[in-house]
């Protein structure tokens, strides 16, 4: 019987869980005022040496997002040291942070579609008042 998950998948899942917890608890208290940051995905290399961490930054401009990613990169040694205490691994992957804009972009597109539908319905109601009766 084949394995359900590979080791890289299990490590990625654990890194995802722990980094999200670290950002919510320790990092937040150390940095202070910061927007809501969510870990959306983690991709671990096959040799478990590197982990790409994709974060979504809510309620921020593009410039503020870049500043937050830069700040995460500066604090990656701090985050990695806490991660090393929580993971039961010989070596902890090197962390690389990337901004994931897919959720925010999806929300933006959804709002545009909703606005377009509302405009079409209001235009249809104005053009054809007999359909309402």
């Amino acid at each position: 019987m084949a394995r359900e998950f590979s080791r890289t998948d299990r490590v990625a899942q654990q890194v995802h869980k722990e980094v999200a917890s670290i950002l919510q608890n320790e990092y937040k208290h150390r940095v202070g005022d910061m927007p809501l940051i969510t870990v959306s995905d983690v991709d671990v290399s096959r040799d478990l040496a590197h982990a790409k961490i994709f974060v979504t930054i809510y309620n921020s401009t593009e410039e503020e997002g870049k500043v937050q990613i830069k700040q995460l990169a500066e604090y990656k040694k701090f985050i990695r040291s806490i991660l090393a205490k929580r993971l039961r691994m010989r070596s902890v992957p090197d962390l690389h942070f990337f901004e994931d804009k897919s959720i925010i972009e999806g929300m933006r597109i959804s709002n545009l579609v909703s606005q377009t539908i509302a405009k079409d319905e209001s235009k249809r109601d104005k053009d054809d008042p007999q359909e309402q009766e």
Side-chain angles (χ1 to χ4, degrees):
M1 187 170 161
R3 284 184 168 168
E4 209 169 307
F5 295 104
S6 67
R7 180 153 194 237
T8 56
D9 291 339
R10 291 191 310 264
V11 169
Q13 186 178 23
Q14 190 65 29
V15 168
H16 182 281
K17 177 182 154 190
E18 296 300 339
V19 168
S21 173
I22 291 167
L23 290 180
Q24 184 179 14
N25 299 321
E26 285 86 1
Y27 176 76
K28 183 178 177 181
H29 295 298
R30 182 166 250 212
V31 173
D33 187 32
M34 65 176 230
L36 179 64
I37 298 177
T38 304
V39 178
S40 54
D41 193 25
V42 174
D43 185 26
V44 177
S45 64
R46 289 184 63 150
D47 63 355
L48 306 177
H50 300 279
K52 291 181 183 178
I53 301 173
F54 297 94
V55 295
T56 303
I57 303 169
Y58 296 98
N59 300 329
S60 67
T61 63
E62 191 170 324
E63 189 67 31
E64 290 171 342
K66 289 179 182 178
V67 169
Q68 285 298 321
I69 293 295
K70 188 175 181 181
Q71 192 171 27
L72 281 169
E74 290 173 2
Y75 278 89
K76 78 178 182 178
K77 288 182 181 178
F78 167 73
I79 296 168
R80 189 173 180 223
S81 69
I82 295 173
L83 186 63
K85 294 174 187 171
R86 294 184 180 186
L87 293 180
R88 300 178 86 179
M89 293 178 61
R90 183 174 296 169
S91 65
V92 176
D94 189 24
L95 307 178
H96 307 280
F97 291 95
F98 298 94
E99 186 174 6
D100 183 13
K101 298 181 183 180
S102 62
I103 295 173
I104 295 171
E105 190 65 19
M107 289 170 41
R108 186 184 73 81
I109 291 171
S110 178
N111 288 338
L112 288 173
V113 168
S114 298
Q115 289 173 0
T116 304
I117 290 171
K119 285 180 185 178
D120 286 350
E121 287 177 355
S122 67
K123 189 184 276 188
R124 182 186 58 180
D125 292 344
K126 288 180 183 177
D127 290 345
D128 197 8
Q130 293 176 353
E131 278 189 11
Q132 293 177 355
E133 296 174 8

